[in-house]
Amino acid sequence: MGRIILENIKLFGYHGCMPEEKYIGANYIINIEIELDFYNASITDDLSKTINYVHLYSIVKKEMSINSKLIENVAQRIIQKINNKFNDLIKYSKIKLCKENPPLHSNVDRVCVVLEYFK
């Protein structure tokens, strides 16, 4: 088993329940972790025997461009799309999605949600 990890994907989005969040937007940091058996890819140097991380990134970017009230919803959509697309390969998947400087009227760097799926 091995893991593909995309760390600190930085994207801008318009997610939130407050009206101003739909216009101002916020910065987000996303981490994706996928566990799979990529032994064959590692010995054959064949991209078709693993998950191309470019495809993972494109799923994240596309789903982040769709506005949602809750970051929980965004995280669920991202991980579900990844799991559906690569269902035969994935043994475990995890997403951590963080909103930078959330509007909490307090000094909070970020608020995050984490979803994990085990097969």
Side-chain angles (χ1 to χ4, degrees), residues 4-22:
I4 296 173
I5 301 170
L6 279 71
E7 287 187 322
N8 297 325
I9 301 167
K10 295 174 177 80
L11 295 170
F12 192 83
Y14 298 91
H15 311 294
C17 293
M18 300 173 75
E20 60 269 19
E21 292 177 292
K22 292 172 181 50

Side-chain angles (χ1 to χ4, degrees), residues 14-58:
Y14 298 91
H15 311 294
C17 293
M18 300 173 75
E20 60 269 19
E21 292 177 292
K22 292 172 181 50
Y23 302 105
I24 298 170
N27 291 307
Y28 293 84
I29 297 177
I30 304 102
N31 293 290
I32 302 289
E33 193 170 320
I34 306 297
E35 184 175 297
L36 68 151
D37 182 355
F38 57 67
Y39 176 75
N40 285 335
S42 71
I43 60 170
T44 64
D45 199 26
D46 184 352
L47 181 59
S48 71
K49 305 215 181 293
T50 187
I51 295 174
N52 187 335
Y53 54 79
V54 172
H55 293 133
L56 296 173
Y57 176 79
S58 67

